[in-house]
Amino acid sequence: MSVRARATRTAVAASAAAAALAVAAVPSAAAPSAATPRFLAPAELPPHPSSGWYAGPVTAGQPDPLPVCVGDALPSTSSHRRYWTEYDTGALQVTVVERSTQRAKEFAALLRRHLADCAETLMERHPDITAEQKYYGRLDVQEGAHVYGVHTEASWGASDIGLLSVGRDGRTVTVVSWGQMGDFRHAQVADFKATTVRAVEKLY
């Protein structure tokens, strides 16, 4: 999710309000083809203590707003689905089916490089943001998945925590992001890892 002005809280993954607005703003896009991989169901996201998860449709094309740090690399052939709760928590899954396994391998590596520099990139682009990140390791699912955490703090006081992952199965690559207000103490890392494993398992 792009860092925006004071009126819109900086978030690594869409906040509940921003996610709802983004879904509502998406026109009736062309439906994904029959070859589109399955996406996460709301119940497969990290559990929220006070709300269930809701989901928009699987939509062809790049998400708007783009996910933080990896958004610029996503092609127009992406498909995505947004998720939100009744509170300030949101999530996004973006999936890309490449023409070959080699291209998918290279694309996944590109996304990981973007995420490895995420905090530095955010601070370079947005001087009013302080960011730090953690790498939570590789998950042994299909061709592998990698999990990252990014905490952003804005000069006006906003503090947000986000978790992001990149996984691949064959020629299909998926990115999952989750975010809410807070810091690394509020990151649901174990739950997010389970969500990432499920996301990659559903690819084909």
Side-chain angles (χ1 to χ4, degrees):
M1 179 178 180
S2 300
V3 176
R4 295 185 280 180
R6 184 187 185 98
T8 303
R9 182 176 298 278
T10 302
V12 176
S15 68
L21 286 172
V23 170
V26 174
S28 298
S33 69
T36 300
R38 294 174 297 157
F39 278 67
L40 289 164
E44 294 171 319
L45 291 163
H48 191 283
S50 305
S51 172
W53 282 93
Y54 306 91
V58 176
T59 304
Q62 298 165 314
D64 182 18
L66 293 169
V68 71
C69 292
V70 298
D72 292 345
L74 296 175
S76 60
T77 54
S78 302
S79 296
H80 66 277
R81 191 180 197 188
R82 291 195 180 278
Y83 308 83
W84 65 96
T85 69
E86 296 173 2
Y87 298 91
D88 197 12
T89 306
L92 172 71
Q93 183 180 4
V94 184
T95 298
V96 176
V97 181
E98 285 285 7
R99 291 191 296 248
S100 68
T101 298
Q102 181 59 34
R103 285 178 63 92
K105 182 178 180 181
E106 293 169 357
F107 180 56
L110 172 65
L111 295 177
R112 292 198 301 273
R113 288 196 297 273
H114 278 266
L115 287 177
D117 296 330
C118 188
E120 182 178 349
T121 299
L122 284 174
M123 290 189 289
E124 287 177 353
R125 294 183 179 180
H126 308 280
D128 55 348
I129 296 295
T130 299
E132 59 179 324
Q133 68 182 76
K134 294 182 180 181
Y135 174 59
Y136 289 109
R138 182 185 187 276
L139 303 178
D140 187 17
V141 54
Q142 303 302 341
E143 272 73 58
H146 298 260
V147 179
Y148 305 80
V150 181
H151 171 239
T152 58
E153 188 168 358
S155 59
W156 59 87
S159 178
D160 296 277
I161 182 63
L163 298 173
L164 303 101
S165 61
V166 175
R168 182 175 68 87
D169 180 10
R171 63 190 186 97
T172 306
V173 178
T174 196
V175 176
V176 181
S177 64
W178 167 97
Q180 65 177 25
M181 291 188 297
D183 54 34
F184 285 113
R185 294 172 297 175
H186 305 100
Q188 294 178 240
V189 178
D191 292 329
F192 184 76
K193 285 183 175 182
T195 292
T196 295
V197 168
R198 184 62 181 138
V200 177
E201 287 175 342
K202 298 179 84 167
L203 303 177
Y204 59 84

